[in-house]
């Protein structure tokens, strides 16, 4: 018991370092939404500076520590100035902090003395407390940490700057409105984080008495875990989280100390449990908005989805020939280089493949893995165990690597259904740490630290034991993977994944379910990382645990971001280039590595889409300079063959004709869509109060009401995005209240959005292809990857349908441009096109004309009429443009304060005094003055 | 008399797309201008452009004799503008009093924050009762009052109010309008954007915004006459009845 108490005390001392780092992480994340990997580096640099000052110049320790804190704060501020405020979202600054971490570590190793002593300033016998001796150093550590925490708390609670920081973290837009400058707030938060890191560095140095370059990097996962326990927003939560992690680690050492990596495992398990069960953290209440921020896609990408039809004649010839030429080239190079160089160069395809696996994950799922070195290691160990321990034939052994890594990645994919964004990134980071610290050192994998050896086999006439032959084999593997990835861009499966990555709401509204696709995306990436691992194992001939460190995972992220997310060529080239530098230029002289790290810091975010993006921009410019990319005859080639299966859109292509209103008796028909007694409460507010409405087949129904009347909420209930507090929804005679939005869309209940129903980084044509995914591809795996000729044909028909819809919508010229770059009016029109492409029986249109004027707005009313006339679609439309609703609707419902105000034929309803009052407020004079 | 706020030929919008065009506004030191119009007419964009919160493509914005068209939002707050934004934008985890204090966080206003607090509590006594409560836990009407109170903390020369009536029950709407009237009476110029034309009971001038441009100006002496008709035409489509 006493022993346990001792370990608790030790844990608290260690945990206070984690707590300080976690406080810095939380501050930075709250204000900048960035995971700061340099948090520990601020501290190590400060500690090295303190040691240099105190020991070199005989300056008293307190002064040296004060100087160190100042250095930490300055470096934090400088980091914010250099990294923030650039284009490209939150990933470039994250990668930039990794670059700063590498640079600082190198500086410490080369110019600040490497490993050096860090004596504690206090000495003595210590104090005995309840039978446990607490050393003076531990007391000092806890006291200083508590003092720093208290100072931070006072600063935030009692000062003007503190109030500004809390306001900025709470609501960025609100902070701008009261006149706060977001950039200055960020610099302030990073400065404080730098100071906190410095204190953590000094305390950690006192505890261990020596400091080594980058000594806090290893505890970053623990610090992230501590911050996550506080939900990444709560400062007291971060402190408690740090102490919990510290004590848990310490107690694990006591009770399970014999197993290496067991503390890391316990931290990972705690973190995983918290993230999966309570993503908002242990110590915070759920906050609206936070989960969403954590869920967003971390990446911004170039268009990925390609037309399934073969392109120009040139590309039809070059397409298949490309890989053949590449293989010939690889074989020629392999034949030309001699032994040692061939061995060195064989690392290039291996690391390029590994980078491509992470690139695929980011591009397909929008998620970031910081544990890819772990998957790489699983691949290597999988191959080694299968070949050496189980003595499987080499080919099977080789495939065991990707199989093992694929399964592990699929498990991460399953977790991604609950945790996304930065939270998932931290989970994968911890996953990598556990693999490296706990799993790989086990007896199965490490054989008592000796590692597993394996020999390259002979395959038929080819002896892979020869380095030249092996180089050729690795090159061919890379080319094969490249070809598969290229093919993937043209099949429905990737479209579904991209749809989810880019806009999950839009994806479910178009009938695409996230569940399976997310897991598949991770699994594919895992298989690729495993392939790289297998190849690596056979290249090395021996696999040991130490070669898959977390640092490799971070390096991979750098390569992928520098190369340009989503750009295979850019990523592979950057990976190969860095590997080359590593093979030939580093070693004794680390200046080159330092320059590379600094280049990362300075370049990141300058060109948000990386090297690949820059290249692509050049090509795009050249292509746009040419008059037309495809002859019209070719675009028409597959012909208008599939009118029934497809979705020719609405619009001016059909001659405008009078809107035909249904006669009264026709309206008395079966109900195709109905809401019964629906009530929706948000907290204490009632958004909808016992609302019932009916829609009959073939009708056009308008829903009117002032702002905040509950119109969009009604649509969200009908389409399944909000579960009503009470009441139900019926569609075609079935209760659909329990169905997901995607299921409702697949049954024929489509919807459009005011805005945001599109996938902005993809082209207009790709948007229409993706919109057809849910209803047409459904659950057939064969169709999803378009393996069989008939699948390929039907997929090409979809592309033709998309062309036709674009033509009808008048968007033919915009077909190949990313939707995000289209004018607002075009996006509104395309939004309707995408909703129609799901082939709905009933279509809910949410403010289709909002923000449109004149001709565009008239076009929308024509289009709504044409939807019914030409396609037999029943339409329910929300619109603020009362004249538009009046002109197209058979019936109108008017909502006010969440309940039904009145309903009926348009002219009757709009003449009613209560409707006018709902819109304009109560009449100014006596009610008699309101003209009727 | 120099105008407190003068806007000339304003063209503004988002992502390179103009939403409002050729907006001219003159706000005197004792003006209460109501900008009414249907949804999407560009009311919010006009206010955000004046605050420097969206893209301005052309035009000038002068506060007193100083041009603020190129200044940062924080500089405009210092110069005497304040915005009570649509959707309130309060800080949900901060207390009511802390929320109010953020309104005085820019520039010299911080020194006079306790006086400002007292002033706001006098106008909005409800907030004084709730001063220790987290803003996110208050009702919509109370949050609206808080947003108004926060915008008063910098003692602005011109207060911009965006749809203060949004989502409030009719009785609360009147209450908020009366509060605006009393702020105006105490010497602050107000530009209030509204969909609810009951604002005309307290405004001194009205402009109607339609499809991004000013379609009608109703001077102080005519407020109350013909407004309902004009607004009705703007909301329900011209030619209706």
């Amino acid at each position: 018991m006493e022993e346990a108490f001792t370990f608790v005390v030790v844990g608290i001392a260690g945990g206070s370092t984690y707590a300080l780092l976690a406080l810095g992480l939380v501050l930075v994340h709250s204000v900048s939404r960035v995971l700061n990997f340099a948090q520990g580096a601020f501290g190590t640099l400060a500690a090295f500076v303190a040691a240099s000052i105190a020991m070199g110049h005989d300056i008293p320790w307190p002064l040296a520590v004060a100087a160190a804190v100042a250095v930490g704060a300055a470096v934090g501020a400088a980091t914010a100035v250099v990294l923030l405020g650039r284009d490209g979202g939150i990933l470039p600054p994250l990668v930039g902090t990794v670059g700063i971490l590498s640079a600082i570590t190198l500086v410490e190793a080369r110019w600040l003395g490497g490993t050096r002593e860090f004596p504690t300033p206090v000495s003595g016998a210590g104090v005995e407390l309840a039978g446990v001796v607490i050393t003076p150093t531990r007391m000092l550590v806890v006291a200083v940490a508590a003092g720093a925490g208290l100072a931070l708390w006072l600063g935030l609670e009692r000062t003007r700057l503190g109030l500004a920081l809390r306001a900025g973290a709470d609501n960025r837009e609100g902070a701008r409105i009261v006149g706060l400058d977001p950039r200055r707030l960020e610099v302030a938060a990073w400065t404080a984080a730098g100071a906190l890191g410095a204190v953590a560095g000094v305390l950690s140095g006192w505890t261990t008495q020596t400091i080594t370059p980058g000594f806090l990097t290893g505890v970053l996962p623990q610090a992230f875990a501590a911050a996550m326990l506080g939900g990444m927003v709560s400062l007291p939560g971060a402190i408690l989280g740090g102490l919990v992690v510290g004590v848990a680690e310490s107690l694990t050492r006591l009770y399970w100390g014999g197993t290496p990596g067991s503390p890391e495992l316990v931290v990972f398990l705690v973190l995983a449990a918290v993230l999966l069960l309570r993503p908002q953290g242990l110590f915070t209440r759920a906050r609206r908005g936070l989960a969403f921020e954590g869920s967003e896609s971390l990446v911004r990408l170039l268009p990925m989805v390609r037309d399934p039809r073969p392109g120009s004649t040139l590309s039809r010839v070059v397409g298949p020939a490309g890989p053949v030429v590449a293989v010939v080239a690889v074989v020629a190079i392999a034949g030309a280089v001699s032994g040692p160089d061939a061995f060195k160069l064989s690392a290039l395809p291996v690391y390029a493949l590994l980078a491509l696996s992470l690139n695929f994950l980011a591009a397909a799922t929008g998620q970031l893995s910081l544990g890819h070195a772990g998957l790489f290691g699983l691949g290597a160990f999988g191959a080694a165990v299968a070949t050496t321990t189980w003595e499987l034939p080499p080919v099977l052994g080789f495939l065991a690597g990707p199989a093992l890594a694929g399964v592990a990645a699929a498990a991460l994919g399953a977790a991604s259904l609950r945790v996304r964004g930065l939270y998932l990134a931290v989970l994968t980071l911890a996953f990598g740490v556990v693999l490296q610290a706990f799993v790989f050192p086990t007896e199965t994998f490490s054989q008592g630290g000796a590692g597993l050896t394996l020999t390259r086999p002979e395959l038929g006439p080819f002896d892979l034991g020869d380095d030249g032959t092996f180089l050729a084999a690795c090159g061919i593997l890379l080319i094969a993977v490249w070809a598969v990835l290229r093919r993937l861009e043209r099949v429905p499966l990737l479209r579904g994944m991209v749809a989810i990555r880019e806009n999950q709401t839009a994806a479910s509204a178009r009938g695409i379910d996230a569940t399976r696709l997310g897991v598949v995306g991770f699994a594919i990436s895992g298989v690729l990382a495993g392939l790289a691992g297998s190849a690596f194992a056979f290249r090395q001939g021996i696999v040991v645990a130490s070669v898959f460190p977390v640092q490799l995972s971070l390096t991979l992220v750098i390569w992928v971001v520098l190369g340009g997310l989503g750009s295979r060529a850019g990523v592979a080239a950057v990976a190969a280039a860095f590997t080359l530098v590593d093979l030939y230029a580093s070693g004794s002289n680390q200046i080159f590595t330092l320059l590379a790290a600094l280049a990362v810091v300075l370049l990141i975010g300058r060109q948000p889409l990386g090297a690949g993006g820059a290249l692509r921009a050049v090509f795009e410019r050249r292509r746009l300079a040419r008059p037309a990319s495809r002859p019209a005859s070719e675009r028409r080639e597959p012909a208008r063959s599939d009118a029934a299966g497809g979705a020719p859109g609405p619009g001016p292509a059909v001659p405008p004709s009078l809107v035909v209103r249904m006669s009264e008796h026709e309206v008395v028909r079966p109900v195709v869509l109905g809401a019964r007694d629906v009530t929706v409460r948000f907290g204490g507010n009632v958004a909808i109060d016992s609302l019932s409405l009916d829609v009959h087949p073939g009708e056009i129904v308008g829903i009117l009401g002032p702002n905040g009347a509950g119109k969009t909420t009604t649509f969200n209930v009908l389409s399944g995005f909000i579960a009503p507090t009470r009441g139900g929804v019926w569609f075609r005679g079935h209760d659909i209240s329990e169905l997901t939005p995607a299921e409702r869309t697949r049954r024929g209940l489509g919807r459009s959005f005011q805005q945001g129903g599109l996938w902005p980084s993809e082209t207009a044509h790709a948007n229409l292809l993706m919109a057809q995914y849910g209803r047409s591809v459904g659950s057939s795996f064969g169709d999803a990857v378009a393996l069989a000729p008939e699948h390929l044909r039907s997929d090409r028909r979809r592309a033709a349908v998309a062309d036709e819809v674009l033509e009808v919508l008048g968007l033919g010229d915009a077909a190949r441009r990313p939707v995000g770059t289209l004018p607002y009016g075009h996006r509104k029109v395309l939004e309707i096109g995408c909703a129609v492409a799901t082939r709905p029986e009933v279509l809910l249109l949410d403010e289709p004309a909002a923000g449109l004027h004149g001709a565009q707005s008239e076009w929308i009313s024509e289009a709504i009429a044409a939807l019914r006339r030409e396609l037999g679609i029943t339409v329910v439309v929300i619109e603020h443009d009362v004249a538009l609703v009046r002109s197209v609707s058979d019936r109108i419902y008017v909502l006010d304060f969440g309940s039904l105000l009145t309903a009926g034929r348009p002219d009757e309803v709009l003449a009613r005094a209560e409707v006018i009052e709902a819109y304009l407020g109560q009449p100014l004079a006596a009610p008699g003055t309101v003209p009727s | 008399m120099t105008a407190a706020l003068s806007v000339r030929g304003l063209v503004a919008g988002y992502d390179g797309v103009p939403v409002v065009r050729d907006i001219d506004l003159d706000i005197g030191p004792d003006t209460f201008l109501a900008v009414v119009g249907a949804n999407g007419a560009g009311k919010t964009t006009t206010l955000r452009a004046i605050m420097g919160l969206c893209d301005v493509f052309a035009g000038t914005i002068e506060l007193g004799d100083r041009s603020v068209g190129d200044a940062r939002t924080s500089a405009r707050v210092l110069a005497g503008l304040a915005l009570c934004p649509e959707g309130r934008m309060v800080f949900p985890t901060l207390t009511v009093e802390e929320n109010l204090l953020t309104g005085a966080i820019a520039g010299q206003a911080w020194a006079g924050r306790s006086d400002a607090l007292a002033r706001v509590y006098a106008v909005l006594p409800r907030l004084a009762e709730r001063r220790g409560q987290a803003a996110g836990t208050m009702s919509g009407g109370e949050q609206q009052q808080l947003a108004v109170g926060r915008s008063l903390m910098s003692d602005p020369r011109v207060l911009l109010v965006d749809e203060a009536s949004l989502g409030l029950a009719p009785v609360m709407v009147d209450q908020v309008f009366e509060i605006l009237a009393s702020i105006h009476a105490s010497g602050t110029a107000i530009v209030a954007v509204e969909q609810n034309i009951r604002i005309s009971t307290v405004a001194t001038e009205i402009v109607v915004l339609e499809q991004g441009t000013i379609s009608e100006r109703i001077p102080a002496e005519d407020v109350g006459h013909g407004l309902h008709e004009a607004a009705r035409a703007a909301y329900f489509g011209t030619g209706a009845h």
Side-chain angles (χ1 to χ4, degrees), chain A residues 312-463:
Chain A
S312 61
T313 327
L314 181 72
S315 67
R316 255 185 258 187
V317 176
V318 173
V324 176
V325 173
V327 166
V328 171
V330 159
V331 170
I333 292 171
V337 293
S338 59
D341 280 330
F343 176 74
K344 277 190 173 180
L345 288 179
S346 64
L348 264 56
V350 170
Y351 283 109
L353 181 51
L354 181 57
L356 285 179
S357 79
L358 183 63
N359 178 51
F360 176 83
L361 182 74
T365 68
Q367 303 302 312
L368 179 67
S369 161
L370 301 173
H372 248 53
L375 295 173
F376 182 56
L378 276 179
F381 277 114
V385 168
T387 319
T388 308
T389 316
W390 299 347
E391 295 173 357
L392 291 180
V395 176
L396 277 186
F398 182 81
L399 292 177
L404 182 60
V407 170
L412 285 178
S416 80
L417 301 175
R418 251 191 95 72
V419 200
R420 294 173 75 78
L422 292 177
Y423 299 84
L424 181 66
V426 170
L427 189 65
T428 57
L429 176 73
F431 170 80
V433 170
V434 166
L435 282 179
Q436 200 225 340
F438 181 77
V439 176
F440 295 155
T442 55
E443 193 56 32
T444 317
F445 291 122
S446 79
Q447 306 282 326
L452 285 160
T453 52
L454 64 176
T455 45
R456 293 186 218 148
E458 281 180 44
L459 287 179
F462 304 110
D463 179 10

Side-chain angles (χ1 to χ4, degrees), chain A residues 305-688:
Chain A
V305 172
R306 304 270 164 106
D307 197 319
R309 294 164 299 183
S312 61
T313 327
L314 181 72
S315 67
R316 255 185 258 187
V317 176
V318 173
V324 176
V325 173
V327 166
V328 171
V330 159
V331 170
I333 292 171
V337 293
S338 59
D341 280 330
F343 176 74
K344 277 190 173 180
L345 288 179
S346 64
L348 264 56
V350 170
Y351 283 109
L353 181 51
L354 181 57
L356 285 179
S357 79
L358 183 63
N359 178 51
F360 176 83
L361 182 74
T365 68
Q367 303 302 312
L368 179 67
S369 161
L370 301 173
H372 248 53
L375 295 173
F376 182 56
L378 276 179
F381 277 114
V385 168
T387 319
T388 308
T389 316
W390 299 347
E391 295 173 357
L392 291 180
V395 176
L396 277 186
F398 182 81
L399 292 177
L404 182 60
V407 170
L412 285 178
S416 80
L417 301 175
R418 251 191 95 72
V419 200
R420 294 173 75 78
L422 292 177
Y423 299 84
L424 181 66
V426 170
L427 189 65
T428 57
L429 176 73
F431 170 80
V433 170
V434 166
L435 282 179
Q436 200 225 340
F438 181 77
V439 176
F440 295 155
T442 55
E443 193 56 32
T444 317
F445 291 122
S446 79
Q447 306 282 326
L452 285 160
T453 52
L454 64 176
T455 45
R456 293 186 218 148
E458 281 180 44
L459 287 179
F462 304 110
D463 179 10
L464 292 179
D466 173 62
D467 284 331
T469 315
F470 185 71
L471 170 60
C474 287
I476 291 168
L477 176 68
L478 177 64
I479 292 163
V481 167
W482 184 285
V484 169
L485 288 174
R486 218 173 95 105
R487 173 90 192 96
L488 264 183
E489 286 175 4
R490 293 172 192 275
V491 302
L493 179 71
L494 187 87
R495 272 175 239 154
M497 290 188 209
V498 169
I500 292 161
R501 173 202 85 201
E502 186 77 354
N503 184 343
Q504 197 157 2
T505 308
S508 34
R510 308 294 171 240
I512 306 172
D513 274 320
T515 324
R516 247 177 314 175
L517 287 173
V519 177
V520 170
F522 269 83
I524 293 178
S525 173
V527 165
L528 297 182
L531 274 176
S534 269
F536 180 79
F538 280 101
R539 174 183 187 267
Q540 304 299 99
I542 181 165
V543 187
V544 290
S546 58
V547 295
F548 310 105
V550 172
Q551 185 62 37
L552 176 60
S553 296
L554 301 181
T555 306
L556 284 176
V557 178
I558 293 185
W559 291 351
V560 168
V561 174
L562 273 188
L565 281 169
S567 160
R568 284 192 311 275
V571 169
V574 167
F578 272 76
T579 309
L580 264 183
V581 167
D582 221 34
L583 289 171
Y584 287 98
S586 70
S588 58
N589 185 357
Q590 298 203 301
I591 298 220
F592 206 90
T593 318
L594 178 63
L595 286 179
L598 289 177
V600 168
V601 173
L602 294 174
L603 288 178
I604 209 81
R606 292 269 180 250
Q607 163 55 263
L609 297 168
L615 267 182
R616 196 130 155 202
V618 173
F619 283 124
E620 295 281 307
R621 232 172 283 143
R622 274 181 33 199
R623 215 189 55 186
L624 288 175
R626 269 179 282 158
S629 55
R630 290 158 64 105
S633 60
E634 194 182 319
R635 196 169 58 222
R636 281 262 159 231
E637 188 185 28
R640 298 169 152 267
S641 56
D642 191 32
V654 292
S657 56
L658 286 174
V659 175
V660 184
R661 231 186 266 293
M662 300 182 106
S663 68
E664 188 74 51
H665 70 268
E666 268 183 298
V667 177
V668 190
R669 284 203 289 182
V671 174
V672 62
L673 173 67
R676 288 283 161 280
D677 224 13
V678 167
T679 298
V680 176
R681 284 200 190 86
F682 296 127
N685 298 340
V686 180
I688 305 186

Side-chain angles (χ1 to χ4, degrees), chain A residues 727-804:
Chain A
V729 181
W730 273 260
F731 182 60
R732 293 163 64 186
H734 299 281
D735 182 354
I736 58 165
S737 309
E738 301 298 319
L739 299 187
T740 64
E743 285 165 336
R744 293 181 202 210
T745 302
R746 290 203 293 269
R747 291 195 177 196
L749 178 59
R751 80 166 281 182
S752 77
F753 293 86
Q754 284 175 39
Q755 47 187 323
L758 298 173
W759 295 287
S761 78
E762 295 295 332
T763 66
H765 188 264
N767 265 267
L768 285 165
L769 273 178
M770 289 152 80
Q772 295 177 62
Y773 178 94
R775 269 210 93 171
S776 56
V777 177
S779 56
S780 149
F781 183 74
D783 201 358
V785 296
L787 277 178
E790 72 261 27
H791 293 143
L792 203 56
R793 268 197 301 277
S794 66
D795 202 38
R796 288 177 180 168
R797 269 201 301 279
R798 282 178 212 125
V801 166
D803 273 338
E804 281 176 38

Side-chain angles (χ1 to χ4, degrees), chain B residues 101-113:
Chain B
L101 287 173
T102 62
I105 209 158
Q108 297 304 310
W110 186 252
R113 61 189 183 280

Side-chain angles (χ1 to χ4, degrees), chain B residues 59-230:
Chain B
T60 60
I61 301 165
E62 284 176 10
L63 195 61
D65 48 6
R66 189 181 154 200
S67 173
V68 295
D70 298 323
R72 289 166 185 243
T73 302
S74 49
R76 299 185 202 210
V77 173
L78 294 185
L81 280 172
L83 171 66
C84 173
E86 183 181 10
R88 293 137 202 168
M89 299 265 175
V90 298
F91 304 107
T93 68
L94 269 54
T95 66
V96 167
E97 187 149 307
E98 286 172 336
N99 263 278
L100 289 175
L101 287 173
T102 62
I105 209 158
Q108 297 304 310
W110 186 252
R113 61 189 183 280
S114 12
D115 292 345
L117 267 183
R119 215 172 47 236
V120 169
Y121 284 145
V123 185
L124 302 162
R126 186 91 183 123
L127 296 183
E129 294 165 24
R130 300 277 167 125
R131 67 178 73 197
Q133 189 178 338
T137 63
M138 299 204 302
S139 76
E142 289 167 334
Q143 287 191 24
Q144 187 62 59
Q145 291 195 16
L146 178 57
V148 172
R150 184 181 66 187
S151 60
L152 288 175
M153 287 291 291
S154 57
D155 198 13
R157 275 196 283 169
V158 182
L159 174 63
L160 311 173
V161 186
D162 195 351
E163 295 254 16
S165 71
L166 191 67
L168 299 186
V171 57
M172 282 303 300
V173 171
D174 281 344
Q175 202 182 327
V176 168
F177 287 173
E178 275 157 28
I179 290 167
L180 293 183
S182 72
I183 292 165
H184 175 237
S186 69
T188 306
I190 293 182
V191 182
V193 146
E194 265 303 332
Q195 192 163 357
N196 189 326
I197 60 160
R198 266 188 90 69
I199 190 80
S200 59
T201 54
V202 290
T204 60
E205 287 176 49
I206 289 172
V207 298
V208 180
L209 213 56
E210 213 171 338
Q211 299 195 356
T213 54
I214 293 176
S215 65
E216 199 150 358
R217 291 172 190 274
I218 300 166
E221 50 274 22
D222 293 345
V223 168
H225 303 284
L227 173 65
H228 220 84
E229 271 308 278

Side-chain angles (χ1 to χ4, degrees), chain A residues 183-198:
Chain A
R183 291 278 286 135
R184 286 191 207 168
L185 287 185
E186 289 187 324
V187 172
W190 285 71
T191 307
L196 287 166

